[in-house]
Amino acid sequence: RLITTKREIANVVAEGLKLWSADPQGSVAQLIAHIITLIRCDSVVLVDLDPELESRVEGGGQAGPTSGRDHGNLSRLRSSSLEVREREIREKGSEILREQLDAAKKELKLKDKECERLSQVRNQLEQELEELTASLFEEAHKMVHEANVKQAGAEKQLKEAQGKIDVLQAEVTALKTLVLTSTPSSPNRQLHPQLQSSGTRGAYKHVGGHIRNKSASGAFPSSIGKPEPSSVSIQPAAKEDREMDSVLYAEFLMWKENPSLERSSAFLSRIYREDIGPCLSFNRSELSQLVQSAVENNSLTIEPVAMSALPMVKASAIECGGPKKCALSGMSRLCRHRIKLGDKGSYYYISPSSRARITAVCNFFTYIRYIQQGLVRHDAEQMFWEVMRLRREMTVAKLGFYLTDQC
């Protein structure tokens, strides 16, 4: 038997408990379990020696018979107390182990919950990332498609705009040439076709301020039996003289400082009252107002009508006139032209007289638009006399005079 003291066993157990609490899974726990097993199998005898006895034993002395019996009784008492302490230690160790086990289980549960939560977060993030990536690719594809469509449209519009610009530049150049070469004293024949010579018109010629038919010129011999080279003597035309009206010229100069198409200026207000209004005043007043608005907006279209292809006019379309009735005057006249107010309006057949009146007003507006746009490079006096000439054309057209080759 291994004989040791209670104090040594207690020290060993205490030290083993400290190490076991630091490392429950280590070899210290196995050592304590082994010590408890040895104590239970009674292979270890605990002897509690008194200090005197211990000193004697250490000194080599012998104890008496009475001391031996006392020590035997004491040994048994100490053995029973040691068993009680052993149970307490075992219960305490089991309690500590259970507490630590419960704590470990709780910690594992918390870690499991945290892992589950993190796993859900990861799955959610992965799903959102996939959806975001798909939406980004779809949006990028859509943006690229829209950009390509816009680019193609812009390139097409650019080409069309460049073509229109080229056409407009050519027209502006031609108009500048016509306007710059036209003066009141020597007007341009292409800009003013009504001033062309009688030879170009063919059927009529001016003689002394009158219109006569060429076919009748050979019917009047100057004397009997002696024909003259010319059947009718041509008298020289009287020289036209002119004098500037100071009031009209002052109004024109005020308008020229800030040219516009508004009626508020005294210059245009007078022309509307004296020329434009009377010239475009027809029997059908409502249609006359529409025609005047179209002329002011530069949206009126006049085109010739092929007499061989004139359609039959129904009674429901009588307000638009017909090949033999003017829509503006309401009178029965042969209509060789028709007008359209804007791009989507109906066609209205007009007589030669109505066309001459509308054309005279259109020529006036065309010229003042050129002045407003800065296309006319003449001095103020030349511009004024050209305006007066256009006003005279409106007055003559209002009185019913017009050139046959014009219509």
Side-chain angles (χ1 to χ4, degrees):
R1 293 183 178 181
L2 178 60
I3 300 174
T4 183
T5 62
K6 181 180 70 175
R7 184 178 299 169
E8 294 176 355
I9 290 295
N11 291 335
V12 171
V13 172
E15 186 69 23
L17 288 174
K18 290 180 180 180
L19 297 175
W20 177 77
S21 62
D23 186 11
Q25 304 297 331
S27 60
V28 179
Q30 298 177 1
L31 177 61
I32 293 174
H34 181 64
I35 293 173
I36 293 173
T37 303
L38 291 176
I39 293 173
R40 293 182 63 182
C41 67
D42 201 19
S43 60
V44 176
V45 177
L46 302 176
V47 177
D48 189 7
L49 299 177
D50 292 333
E52 296 179 356
L53 183 58
E54 290 178 359
S55 61
R56 289 175 187 171
V57 174
E58 292 174 358
Q62 295 180 354
T66 305
S67 299
R69 287 194 300 273
D70 292 338
H71 283 295
N73 294 330
L74 184 59
S75 229
R76 285 190 296 273
L77 291 174
R78 297 290 177 82
S79 177
S80 61
S81 63
L82 184 59
E83 291 177 357
V84 174
R85 187 177 294 276
E86 176 191 352
R87 285 195 297 273
E88 292 177 355
I89 292 171
R90 187 166 57 251
E91 291 176 358
K92 187 175 182 179
S94 300
E95 184 178 357
I96 292 173
L97 290 174
R98 281 194 299 271
E99 291 177 356
Q100 292 184 355
L101 181 60
D102 293 339
K105 288 181 179 180
K106 290 180 180 180
E107 186 176 359
L108 288 175
K109 287 182 179 180
L110 293 175
K111 290 184 177 180
D112 290 339
K113 290 182 179 179
E114 184 69 15
C115 290
E116 185 177 358
R117 186 183 68 82
L118 293 176
S119 178
Q120 292 178 356
V121 171
R122 183 191 63 186
N123 294 334
Q124 184 178 0
L125 290 176
E126 290 179 353
Q127 184 178 0
E128 291 179 356
L129 182 61
E130 291 178 358
E131 293 177 355
L132 180 61
T133 303
S135 63
L136 286 176
F137 274 108
E138 183 178 358
E139 187 69 20
H141 180 70
K142 183 178 179 181
M143 292 175 64
V144 170
H145 179 68
E146 292 178 354
N148 292 334
V149 172
K150 290 181 179 179
Q151 182 179 1
E155 291 178 354
K156 182 178 179 181
Q157 293 178 358
L158 178 61
K159 292 180 180 178
E160 294 178 355
Q162 288 178 349
K164 291 181 179 179
I165 289 173
D166 294 339
V167 173
L168 291 176
Q169 287 179 349
E171 291 180 355
V172 169
T173 303
L175 289 174
K176 284 183 177 180
T177 303
L178 293 176
V179 171
L180 294 176
T181 57
S182 176
T183 61
S185 59
S186 59
N188 191 299
R189 302 295 179 177
Q190 295 180 359
L191 184 62
H192 306 288
Q194 66 273 15
L195 300 179
Q196 291 179 0
S197 61
S198 58
T200 57
R201 291 197 295 268
Y204 297 87
K205 65 178 180 178
H206 285 86
V207 180
H210 300 281
I211 299 175
R212 294 187 178 183
N213 196 305
K214 291 174 62 177
S215 60
S217 61
F220 302 95
S222 59
S223 61
I224 299 175
K226 293 182 179 181
E228 297 291 334
S230 177
S231 60
V232 179
S233 61
I234 301 177
Q235 299 179 359
K239 182 179 180 182
E240 183 182 32
D241 202 358
R242 60 192 182 188
E243 182 178 354
M244 182 180 296
D245 187 293
S246 59
V247 176
L248 298 180
Y249 188 63
E251 292 176 354
F252 173 74
L253 291 179
M254 291 179 60
W255 174 83
K256 186 178 177 298
E257 291 179 358
N258 186 18
S260 66
L261 300 180
E262 299 294 332
R263 301 188 187 183
S264 58
S265 64
F267 170 69
L268 285 182
S269 177
R270 179 189 295 274
I271 295 176
Y272 266 99
R273 183 176 62 255
E274 297 178 358
D275 301 315
I276 297 177
C279 191
L280 294 181
S281 178
F282 298 95
N283 293 337
R284 296 184 179 272
S285 58
E286 295 182 359
L287 184 58
S288 299
Q289 293 295 328
L290 295 176
V291 170
Q292 181 173 336
S293 299
V295 172
E296 293 172 351
N297 300 328
N298 199 19
S299 60
L300 184 138
T301 304
I302 302 178
E303 61 181 33
V305 179
M307 301 306 294
S308 60
L310 286 176
M312 297 299 295
V313 181
K314 297 181 180 179
S316 60
I318 194 66
E319 68 275 3
C320 296
K324 295 184 180 182
K325 185 175 183 179
C326 179
L328 290 171
S329 64
M331 301 177 64
S332 297
R333 294 288 186 273
L334 182 61
C335 301
R336 298 179 180 274
H337 294 82
R338 61 182 182 178
I339 60 174
K340 184 172 69 171
L341 310 179
D343 296 332
K344 298 181 180 180
S346 302
Y347 283 99
Y348 299 91
Y349 291 88
I350 58 175
S351 63
S353 177
S354 299
R355 177 184 178 271
R357 294 164 67 174
I358 295 173
T359 304
V361 178
C362 290
N363 290 339
F364 171 76
F365 274 101
T366 300
Y367 189 72
I368 64 172
R369 285 194 185 97
Y370 288 165
I371 297 176
Q372 182 188 15
Q373 297 170 5
L375 299 177
V376 182
R377 302 300 182 183
H378 299 156
D379 55 20
E381 185 176 351
Q382 290 178 326
M383 293 181 188
F384 173 76
W385 283 117
E386 181 65 18
V387 170
M388 294 301 104
R389 188 190 65 80
L390 294 172
R391 291 187 62 183
R392 183 174 64 179
E393 285 187 1
M394 288 188 284
T395 302
V396 170
K398 168 61 180 173
L399 296 175
F401 296 98
Y402 60 90
L403 300 176
T404 54
D405 63 338
Q406 181 183 354
C407 300

